[in-house]
Amino acid sequence: MATEIYERVKRYLTLLKKNFKAIEEKSLFLVSEKVKGKEVIIQIRAGEPWIGLVVPIISRAEIPDNILCKVHEKLLQININYAEVSFGIDKEGNVLATEEILSDALTLDVFLEEYNALPVAVEVFEEEVRPIIKEAQA
Amino acid sequence: MMSFNPKKVFSRILSYLKILGKEIESIDEDKFAILVKEKIDGGTHRILVQLYTSGWISTRALLVRNETLNRLGGNSCLVLRYLLQTSYRAAEFKFAMDEMGNIYITEDIHISALTFDAFDEEYHAIPAAIKEFKERIKPEIEHLIATDFEIV
């Protein structure tokens, strides 16, 4: 059965006219967004006490080994320079941007601010990290 | 981005810290920054709470000085990778690095979510994360790099 938080997130996505797929049994939403002409999928897990928002940024395989450390350093620097951006890496080394909302603090305004931070993270990555990777590949 | 009066929000943050009985070391009204002294596990840590004009409030504490990382040489890369993995797993905080290479533990809250209860929870995520870092993450890093790892 869908939780109240799941229903609220679904309502917000509908009100915001987002293009999304709801997977109720996993309390999961997959939202399609266009950032700088590229499609990205934002995953929203409507859990409690945390609602987790994640966007995959780049796979480990796309980062050359010789600049991996430099890329990680840059991601940590971005984490301090942009309050709304939070980069992390999963077990496999893929880079993701995440946001979390305390379910007790969930309102449309809060949801929108946290949600909008993810396309910002994609943009910041493209502007500040992608050139390092491209240069190494050249 | 929503418009807001930073002076009003800053004064609200200050009042929340006072209600929580925090020891305020300094207040910078121009930078909307407050430095709070916290005793954690027998050590004294300084937590910076700062309001940005973007509408985000950042709560941050210095965790590892750059010289500690520099001393590790190539092993510092293992530490950075571990910190990013932990940032991904943790809902309440993230790790970050300044341009000097110092490592911080940080947590951000948007003013649209700023209530006393939310601030209380998010602020205390930092001392809790420092404690967790000392007790769990530091030994894991030391195991990873096979040497002592000094934190603030």
Side-chain angles (χ1 to χ4, degrees):
Chain A
M1 201 177 114
T3 63
E4 190 208 325
I5 292 295
Y6 173 88
E7 290 299 346
R8 198 123 58 96
V9 171
K10 192 175 176 182
R11 180 155 184 267
Y12 291 165
L13 290 171
T14 307
L15 287 170
L16 295 167
K17 299 183 170 51
K18 297 294 179 188
N19 175 14
F20 69 94
K21 185 180 167 194
I23 306 167
E24 192 177 320
E25 61 276 20
K26 291 183 178 173
S27 290
L28 182 70
F29 298 93
L30 303 176
V31 192
S32 169
E33 282 287 345
K34 276 247 160 69
V35 183
K36 290 197 158 182
K38 270 168 65 175
E39 191 198 28
V40 294
I41 301 293
I42 294 175
Q43 303 164 17
I44 304 172
R45 196 170 292 279
E48 289 180 62
W50 294 99
I51 299 157
L53 295 84
V54 178
V55 63
I57 301 282
I58 190 170
S59 72
R60 167 66 186 87
E62 290 174 83
I63 309 171
D65 290 346
N66 61 330
I67 56 154
L68 190 60
C69 191
K70 195 174 172 187
V71 168
H72 288 169
E73 197 176 302
K74 188 71 187 167
L75 294 173
L76 285 164
Q77 284 171 352
I78 291 170
N79 278 356
I80 212 164
N81 291 337
Y82 296 84
E84 70 270 47
V85 175
S86 177
F87 285 126
I89 57 175
D90 65 14
K91 275 191 303 197
E92 286 76 36
N94 306 308
V95 177
L96 309 105
T98 60
E99 294 296 327
E100 282 81 24
I101 304 168
L102 202 55
S103 54
D104 283 348
L106 181 66
T107 63
L108 178 64
D109 292 345
V110 173
F111 180 78
L112 199 53
E113 289 296 340
E114 300 279 348
Y115 182 92
N116 286 341
L118 291 173
V120 170
V122 176
E123 279 182 31
V124 170
F125 183 89
E126 292 301 323
E127 283 163 17
E128 300 197 18
V129 188
R130 182 79 69 186
I132 301 171
I133 296 170
K134 277 192 175 160
E135 194 188 322
Q137 287 165 336
Chain B
M1 193 188 298
M2 65 199 296
S3 68
F4 68 102
N5 182 333
K7 282 188 179 170
K8 272 192 178 169
V9 176
F10 186 65
S11 130
R12 215 161 105 206
I13 297 167
L14 198 52
S15 71
Y16 289 167
L17 287 167
K18 284 180 180 165
I19 291 168
L20 289 168
K22 296 297 168 192
E23 188 181 343
I24 294 167
E25 189 168 275
S26 63
I27 299 170
D28 185 333
E29 290 188 0
D30 297 328
K31 291 183 177 165
F32 301 114
I34 305 161
L35 198 59
V36 185
K37 232 175 171 177
E38 282 280 352
K39 285 214 162 54
I40 305 160
D41 266 4
T44 302
H45 293 259
R46 280 165 180 81
I47 297 180
L48 178 72
V49 182
Q50 189 163 14
L51 168 68
Y52 292 96
T53 49
S54 60
W56 289 86
I57 301 153
S58 170
T59 305
R60 166 189 311 167
L62 174 65
L63 202 59
V64 182
R65 290 202 169 85
N66 56 4
E67 56 259 37
T68 303
L69 274 185
N70 293 342
R71 273 200 301 269
L72 296 177
N75 270 346
S76 66
C77 294
L78 291 176
V79 174
L80 301 187
R81 190 177 69 194
Y82 187 85
L83 295 177
L84 281 165
Q85 282 173 342
T86 309
S87 292
Y88 173 62
R89 286 198 306 264
E92 305 90 332
F93 61 84
K94 64 181 177 183
F95 291 108
M97 181 190 254
D98 67 14
E99 53 192 30
M100 307 291 289
N102 300 302
I103 300 286
Y104 295 81
I105 195 155
T106 171
E107 158 72 25
D108 304 296
I109 177 174
H110 192 267
I111 54 161
S112 58
L114 185 63
T115 61
F116 174 78
D117 293 331
F119 180 80
D120 181 20
E121 176 129 14
E122 304 250 352
Y123 174 88
H124 284 112
I126 295 293
I130 293 172
K131 196 168 186 295
E132 190 190 342
F133 192 93
K134 286 181 173 182
E135 289 170 359
R136 189 181 63 80
I137 303 173
K138 182 178 178 286
E140 284 183 18
I141 289 178
E142 284 173 341
H143 178 72
L144 195 70
I145 60 180
T147 183
D148 287 344
F149 187 65
E150 188 187 328
I151 66 169
V152 171

